[in-house]
Amino acid sequence: LRRVLIANLLQWAQQFTGVNAILTQGPAIFIDAGVKFTGDKGTDSLIATAMVNGCILCSVIAVIFAIDVWGRRFLLLLGGCVMTVSMTVAAVVAKMIYDIQDDPAMADTRTTYAYFLVGAVCCYAIGFGPWGAIPWVYPSEIFPMDVKEKAMTTSVCSQWVANCAIAFLVLPQER
């Protein structure tokens, strides 16, 4: 029972890191922040989102190589700390952007803040790496062979239920 709870709670914790909100709302966040790379708002937001996705990909690949060296627990704690700090920075920067959004004299400052916001979200994505990989790897390691199929089924089902719950929680915020 303890192992089943750990496997299921890891999946729920993965979903409640907020990664789906960042991935789905990222382009809108970056448009509102005023990110400028090319001058086209849509393209600029997609470039920033691609940078975030690239950071997640690189981080998950790095975790694959580091998981047996540094351990699952340490990587999860490290990733959680990185995500917490970077989202705190992102929140502060977003508030600073919001405070100067209507001031035309602060346009250059707003653009600089927007770059800091992209950087903070990219740091968040790097911190998500352990949370992207370990909840999938760890359950397959902790169950004995005679119950692995059923236990893994509960873990994966739990992940999809959590994903659905997040989708319903985040969607109303968009409106």
Side-chain angles (χ1 to χ4, degrees):
L1 179 63
R2 182 173 182 253
R3 292 176 185 169
V4 171
L5 285 174
I6 289 170
N8 285 285
L9 290 176
L10 272 175
Q11 296 288 5
W12 276 80
Q14 177 195 56
Q15 291 302 308
F16 278 86
T17 62
V19 71
N20 286 340
I22 292 296
L23 294 177
T24 58
Q25 304 298 326
I29 292 168
F30 296 133
I31 286 172
D32 290 344
V35 173
K36 293 180 183 167
F37 294 112
T38 65
D40 175 43
K41 287 182 180 182
T43 303
D44 293 341
S45 69
L46 293 179
I47 290 171
T49 302
M51 291 168 58
V52 171
N53 289 336
C55 288
I56 290 176
L57 177 63
C58 292
S59 181
V60 169
I61 290 170
V63 166
I64 290 169
F65 291 105
I67 194 169
D68 289 328
V69 177
W70 291 356
R72 286 107 179 103
R73 183 176 186 268
F74 174 76
L75 287 172
L76 287 172
L77 290 172
L78 178 64
C81 288
V82 169
M83 287 189 295
T84 301
V85 169
S86 61
M87 277 294 106
T88 302
V89 169
V92 169
V93 171
K95 174 68 172 132
M96 292 165 60
I97 291 170
Y98 178 77
D99 288 343
I100 64 169
Q101 71 182 352
D102 295 329
D103 188 356
M106 300 293 283
D108 289 339
T109 304
R110 182 177 178 204
T111 301
T112 303
Y113 289 167
Y115 292 138
F116 280 120
L117 180 66
V118 172
V121 175
C122 284
C123 287
Y124 165 84
I126 291 168
F128 177 76
W131 287 91
I134 294 171
W136 292 101
V137 172
Y138 193 63
S140 68
E141 299 172 339
I142 63 175
F143 295 118
M145 289 303 287
D146 58 333
V147 296
K148 187 175 279 205
E149 291 174 3
K150 292 176 183 165
M152 288 294 297
T153 300
T154 66
S155 176
V156 173
C157 180
S158 179
Q159 196 273 341
W160 284 106
V161 169
N163 194 338
C164 181
I166 291 295
F168 279 106
L169 289 173
V170 172
L171 194 59
Q173 296 175 5
E174 184 180 345
R175 295 181 191 157

